[in-house]
Every structure is written in structure tokens, then in C-alpha cells.
Amino acid sequence: MRNFLLTSLGLLLVICVQLRAQERRVTGVVTSTTDGSVLPGVSVIVKGTNTGTQTDLNGSYAITATPQQTLVFSFVGMKTTEVVVGNQSIINLTLADEADVLSEVVVVGYGQQSKKLSTQTISTLSSKSIKDWPVLSPQQLLQGQAAGVQMVTSSGLLGSNPSIRIRGAASITAGGQPLFVIDGVPLNDGELTGAQGGGTALNPLMNINPNDIESMSVLKDAAAVSIYGSRGANGVILINTKKGLVDKKTQINVDMFTGFSKPTNLFPMMNTQQFNGFVGEYRAARGLAPLQLSNDYFDWVNAVVRNGKTNQINLSARGGSKNTSFYFAGTYGTEQGFTIGNELDRLSGRFNLEHKISDRFRFGTNMSMATVDMDRIGAENNTYAPLTSAYLQIPNVLPRDAQGNYVNTGFIQNVLALEELNINKYITRRTTGNVYAELDILKNLTFRTDFGMDINVGDSKYREVNLFTPGGSGSRDIRKDSKWLTTNTLKYFLDKDKHSFDVLLGYSYEVSDYDRIAVGGSGYASDALPNVVSAATPTTTLEERSRWALESQFARANYAYDGKYLLGASMRRDGSSRFGANKRYGIFYAVSGGWVISEESFLKSSDFINFLKLTASYGTAGNDRIGNFPSLGLYQGGTDADYLAQPGLRPTQVPNPNLTWEETAQLDLGINTTFYKNIFSLSLNYYNKITSSMLLNVPFPFTTGFASAANNVGKMQNRGVDIDFSAKVIQKQDLNLSIGFNAGYLKNEVLELPEASVDADGNRFVNGSSAQRAVVGRTINEFFLVRANGVNPQTGDFEWLTKAGQPTTTYSANDRVFVGSALPKWTGGLNANLSYKGFDLAVLFSFSYGNKVLIDGLRFTDNVASAGFNKSVDLLNYWKKEGDQAFIPKLSSSTAPLFNQLSTLQLQNGSFARLRNINLGYNLPTKWFGEQKILRSARIYALAQNLFLIKDKNFRGPDPEVSANGPSNLIVGESFFALPQAKTFTVGLNIGF
């Protein structure tokens, strides 16, 4: 017996020694497929044993196991993954997101909701979708990334205000931009700058640092936007900034990049030889005396275009204890546009903090401050704009005289001298944020009080020297928009048995003060005196102030039974000082429902369909963007109201006590599904929006003494389909590929307009410009032009078409017809994300289809008759003999001086597809960082923007993606020498400590 025991013990020791010899130490790092970041707290267990560990703050782990054993990696919200050890001693793993929709949440108005149980239509952009983009404003992040959202960069001008339409324009003359809400604070978006001679307004959101954004949620249907009541008709964009980490060591991130830019395209213009030859031939053909033209040559376009530069550094820190979490960030960036005189410096800082006093009480703050210092240039329709003047300046005009001094070149200004000698500055300072406190009154009942502010100051300074204005002139214009608001909410949540119920009650009050002081003067003793105080003659002394206020009560309730039958309702009552005393308060509402079909027994066990939900909603929202006093009877003082040298007042506006909101009612029907092992996701939404009681200026009879007054008339409809599709094509340990596609189809129609505006054909219309108008039965942006028929190859005359469609050599505005819409039928984008080991590649395309654009600058570059403007090289293709397929008529034709008149000759096919971004990065292996682990991560990347463009082969103009009137509803897709988009190349480094 003793021998047996000894023998057994010996065998057991041998086995243990052998097993011990087989065991090995396995190490590695666990990261996320979402953004490549390391994952602390991942559970790593040897399958079938109690042996386990967790990844540390750097995502690293170490565990002992045999080659035959399996490691199980698990983390909340991620797919559990098993890996056989084998002969590996280093196992780096990337965990994929768990596709179960139950684990996802979406940001909604005043809170969050489970994505599975939500009945709202929302497009969400995560930090992964927008990281490492060197953009100036949050709006640029939306390009091509959300179905039903059309984002058009109005110009390549630094700081220009883009146009954003969510499911079409919900208004004609009232504001059309969505409401931006950052960390619960609705932002003001009024203009705080004087005009620069064109339609491109400065972007009111350029103070918001895109690097601080954690996510952007685009609220589209009534169920989502009605909680914002009178300001929700144009859609709502919620911006959530980055927050701290609970009970985590401080993470420091440094991101820096540098790059250069150049214009994507320019107008080809004549040189001196071509210009002199063409002008000479034109005058000879028409029997005119020749001109004495200089043979000097100066390339004005080349002189004003340069390689733009961009440099930026972002520093952030986030972390926290069990009770306190924080996020701190600072950014400094400089950008130099690709035209002279267009420069921008930005300094911004953000501090977000939350502290838990007890298990039931917490408070926090989200604060940002930013300063943007701009060197400005004239924009668009302005001979002070560098590129506009460079195109039109005669090539034999020189910028300097024989002594090297700048000269005044007349109507087409010497823009080189303008940019070097004049002062044209704009500085904006913005402080936005809130402080809040939350108290859990009961386990499921929370009270939150929130105090927010948005203070924006714009300071414009202009000084013109004696060379351009005898004696010189100067001005200073300071505008301040200060908003203060308080929001108080009560939230209740109950989840018991098969019932889930939540309710929100809230009250908010906000007030905004606008102040402006402007001074100006002329007659300076010296160009060296920069300030208005040195002017001999005051020309401007202005002070004005206005205030508006909004009081609101709102409520929302959601109910879910058994996780598959969903109901939702919301209501908001707004009272606004902007509207008439009789209609100051309005009520907006929404009801919605959903059915999670995949939870039913007949689909729950399906191997193909993993999730399937149907939703429907209907509700209303409003639009209040018509200024502060449109309902009041206004009077004006000042010199034009004086009577017999005595101060007086004169009436300027008729009162309308019944003026109220535009109202947009919207129906939304949706289907959301994931299928085939959660690889594919598809979302389809049909919507029908009808805006009624539109805010329009209705003309008055001349005998009243008033031109027009705001009234609630008119109706418009937007119908369409939003499509979102994504696929996880490859999901492997070292290789992942996902693609996404979104598209929005839109059909817009004006249903009703006032009777006062009727054209000769009986069409009711509202004029937007000389080229487009809103017309009953057509779109809001319908081009109304004479049709150009081109050069007759037999006669050499240019022909237009009459209204009846007959060729004619006589141009007449009476022959105008409707020739297409500036609204695209389809917009959208395509993205792809590829990662292989440490490498990652992201590509984004955007597209627009079915719209027209008017390149109005062609009327000037195609001016045959004038010797005062330079000309497009296209004019060299003129008719010489019978049968020629020429661009312009024979030079002796009576139509030659007129062929460039406003017509479809300037109207272009606006469809395009653009490679918006391509981003290649490499994450350095963590093993390179050494034992100290000072570095947490390091990534180098290269980014190209607007690398190439697919457009109509006959397109004439710098860029089909243009809307030089910025966020205007009534004038879209028109350009007068608008700067094209910039082609940008950037390299950067992101380091985590």
C-alpha cells in the first residue's frame, strides 16, 4: 500500500511538472474596433477555470495558461471572444461592438433613450465618424454622413456660413437653418458682422471647436423635434461634448497637424496676347477704331492665389475619481486661405466637470471660451474681393508704377494694394456653457436644474487708405448677442415586469439681448492713423439694442410593453416676444408608435433577421426666425425723420397683433433592421412635411405708404425618403472592413402663396433673385430664365428660344420659362473604414444629383463687348465660317454684344460626386513604448480633403457645390465668383499619455 502511494505521488509530481513546463505567460493589449482605443477593465479568463485577470488602464493584461487552454475576453457592450492559446505568447485582440441594439442609446432632446425602444428618427455621428478632421466648424462634419441632410459649403472663403437643410427647406423667407443645441444650451446664430459686399455671411458657429465633440445627433421627425417647439421646424442638431472618466487615471491627449491647401479649380482667363488679339479682332469686325493696348502682362489670378496653410495643436485631459470626473481641452490653430488676405487664428478652451456629492446629489458644468481673429477679404459680388478682381482685371494692367508704388486701378480695384495697405479685421469672442445640479428625489425620480448662457461678441474694424478713398475712411462695428436661460426638468422612470415607462416634465425661460455700437469717419491726416477718432468728419454714429424672450413648458412620455410595443408622445407650449399679442403662445405636439417585430415568437428564433422595428410618428413644430419686432408698429427717428429742422418720428412698420409662428406638420414612417448575423443594417424612412401659415412679407398698395408687412400666408410641402445602410464586411482579429451608405430623396412643392404676386402667365410667385423664384406648383428654388439655343452654325448668330420654343436672335426677358430647380433630387454619402493590425483607412464620398446651379460670374467673363474686363479663354472659340460649332457668335453679329445676357448659358448641371475625405493612419505598437508605459497610444495620420470631383463634362465654373447666398432659403445654388472648395493635404500626430 505504501509503495502504491509513493508510486502514485511520483506520477502526480511528474504530471504537475510536465503541466508546469507547458504553462506560459501570455500578454497582450485589448483595443476597440470602434475607434482603435485601448480597453481597460476587459475580463480575461482561462476557460473552464477560476484563473482570470483584467486589462489595466493601458488595455494590457498578463495571464498564465497552457497551449491547450482557451482565453475568454469579455467586456460590457462588446462581443465576447475566445482565443486558443496554442504556441502564442503575445495575443493582441480587438473587440467588436455587440450588435444587440438593446445595449445602444441615442441622444434625444433633454436626455437619452434606448435605441431599440426609441420611436424617433435620429441620425447620430459618433466621435469615430468625425475624428482627425481639420475642419473649422461643426457643420462641416455633417457633409455626406446623414441621410436627408444637405450641407452645402457656400464658399471656399475661410469662416463662410454653410447652408444646412434637414429634409428640405421648411420656410421661404424665415430662417432655414436647424437649431443647434450644445450640451443642452440652444445657440444663437444671428449675424454679428457687417456686410463685405456679398452674400457669404460668416459662420456663427466657427467658435465651436470640433475637437471637443463626442457626438452629433440630427433630430429629423416630429417625434424628435417637437420637444423644441417653436424652433424645431428646420430640424435640431444636438452636440454633446466630451466628458470625464469615472474612477480612471488621467488620460492626456495631444493632437497636432499641419497641412496646405489650394483651390480645386479656377476660371481660365486670357493673357495679354490673347486679350489684345481678341479685342482687336472684335473691334475690327465691327468697324470700330482700334484701341492702343499695352503689351505689358501681369498674371493677377496667380498673384492672389497661394498655397494655403493650416496648423493646429489640441491638448486635452480627461479622468476622474469615484466622485469627480473632468474633461479639459485647449486648442490653438492658424489657417491661411488660398487667396491673399484671408487668414484666421483660433484659440479655444473647454472645461467639463461633474461631481457626485452623494449617491443622490451631483452637480457639474460644461464651459467653453473661444476667440477667432480673422483677416478678412471682400466676398462674392465685390470688386474688393481678390479673386473676383483678379478674374476681371485686364491682364496688361500692372499693380505698381515705375517707382514701385501701388497704383489705383479704378473700378476693378488693385487687390494686391488693398490687402497690403487696408485694415479689414474681424474678432469674435464666444462663451458658451451651463452649470447644473441633479437630485434623485426617489430611486426613479430625478430633478435637474440647469442655468446656461451663450455670449457672443463680434468686433469688425475697417480702414481704407488714401489711395482708394481720398482722405481715407474708417469704421468700427461692435455687436454683442447675450443669451441667458434656465431649464428645470423632472424625470421619472419605471421598468417593472413587462412594462417600461418614462416621463419628462420641464420648464424653461430664456432671454437674449442684442447690442450694437458703430462709428465711422473720413478724412485722415495720414494713412498711419488707424482709428476712427483720427477722422476729421464723422460719417456714422449708431447705437441700437433689442431683446427677445421665450417661455416654455414641455412634456414627454414613452411606454414600452414587453420590449416590443412602443408608444411615445410629447408636447411643448412656447410663448415668444417676437409674435403678436393675440398669438404669442403656441402649442406643438407629436405622437409616435413602434413595433419591434423581431421580439415576436415567429421571428425571435430567425437566423437571418436579428432585429426588425417599424415606427410611425406625426406631429408639429414651429419656426420663429423672423427678427425681434415683426408684429409691432415701429417708428424711426434720426435725420430722415426730422421736420422743419426739429426732431421727429416716422412710422416704418404696420402692426400685426395676430402674427404667429410658421407651423410644420410631419408624418414619418420607418423601418429599422439588422440581419444576417448582425452584419447588415438598414434604415428606411418616408416623410411628408407640410408647412402652413408661412411668414412672408405681403405687398401693400402703394397708397398706404408702406411697401409690405409680415403675415402668415402660404403653404409648402416636402416629401422624401431617407436611406441608411451599413455592412460589417470583414470582422477578424487583425482585419476589419465596414462600409456605409446614406441617401436622401426630396420632392419639394410650393402649395400656396399670396394673391398679390402673379406673373404674366398667372403663376403666383415670390422672387428670390433675377434668376430664380418660389412658384406655386413648383419648387421653392425654381430657375426662371431665357433659354439659350447656342450659335447657329449656318449664320453665326447666337440664338435664344422664345417662350413658345422658336429660335430667335432677339433677347427678351419676356421669353423666360422655368428651366429646372436648384434643389437636388438626391443627396448622400458613401464611407468605408478599413483596419489591418495597426493601420486604418477611412474614405468618405458625398454626392448631389438632379439640381441646377447658376454660375453668374460667367456673364462677366463672357462679356465680348467690354474692353474693361478680362475674358474667359472660351471666347477664343468664335464663329468664323459656315458649319463652325462655335461657343460664341461671329464677332460682327448683332448678337455678339448680347450673347452673355442672363440665360441658361450660365445655368449648369449641379450634380457631382466628391471624394470628401481620405484618412490613412497607423497606431504604433504599445510594445515600443517601453516598461514605463508613459505613452498610452500614438498614431500618425495623413488626410486629404476634396481630392477629386466627378461632375458634368460640360460644367463651366470653379465648383458645382456652391450657394453663395449662404443659408438663404429663397436663393440657392447661385454663385458670383464664389471661391471654390479647397483641396487640402494634412499630416498629423496623436499621442496619448
Side-chain angles (χ1 to χ4, degrees), residues 977-992:
F977 296 113
L979 273 64
Q981 304 296 299
K983 184 181 294 184
T984 305
F985 301 91
T986 307
V987 293
L989 174 65
N990 187 295
I991 303 174

Side-chain angles (χ1 to χ4, degrees), residues 85-97:
V85 175
N87 59 1
Q88 304 175 90
S89 57
I90 298 177
I91 299 178
N92 294 325
L93 189 69
T94 300
L95 291 185
D97 288 343

Side-chain angles (χ1 to χ4, degrees), residues 198-253:
T200 307
L202 286 179
N203 183 359
L205 301 185
M206 63 183 173
N207 301 72
I208 308 302
N209 185 5
N211 294 284
D212 293 335
I213 295 176
E214 183 70 30
S215 68
M216 297 177 69
S217 298
V218 183
L219 312 187
K220 297 190 284 190
D221 72 332
V225 303
S226 66
I227 197 69
Y228 288 99
S230 61
R231 296 173 292 180
N234 296 309
V236 181
I237 297 178
L238 306 180
I239 299 176
N240 274 10
T241 60
K242 296 175 181 176
K243 301 299 188 290
L245 303 173
V246 178
D247 201 17
K248 303 290 184 183
K249 288 185 178 179
T250 300
Q251 297 180 1
I252 299 175
N253 280 281

Side-chain angles (χ1 to χ4, degrees), residues 12 29 205 294 361 442 480 509 659 689 700 854:
L12 181 61
V29 177
L205 301 185
S294 168
F361 185 48
L442 300 172
K480 182 179 181 181
Y509 179 81
L659 190 70
K689 295 170 57 176
F700 280 174
L854 185 81

Side-chain angles (χ1 to χ4, degrees), residues 900-930:
N900 64 319
Q901 294 293 304
L902 182 61
S903 72
T904 55
L905 187 67
Q906 295 89 38
L907 195 65
Q908 312 288 312
N909 182 354
S911 300
F912 70 88
R914 188 190 294 275
L915 177 55
R916 184 71 58 186
N917 288 288
I918 180 168
N919 191 334
L920 176 64
Y922 178 67
N923 293 285
L924 276 61
T926 55
K927 64 181 180 181
W928 291 7
F929 304 154

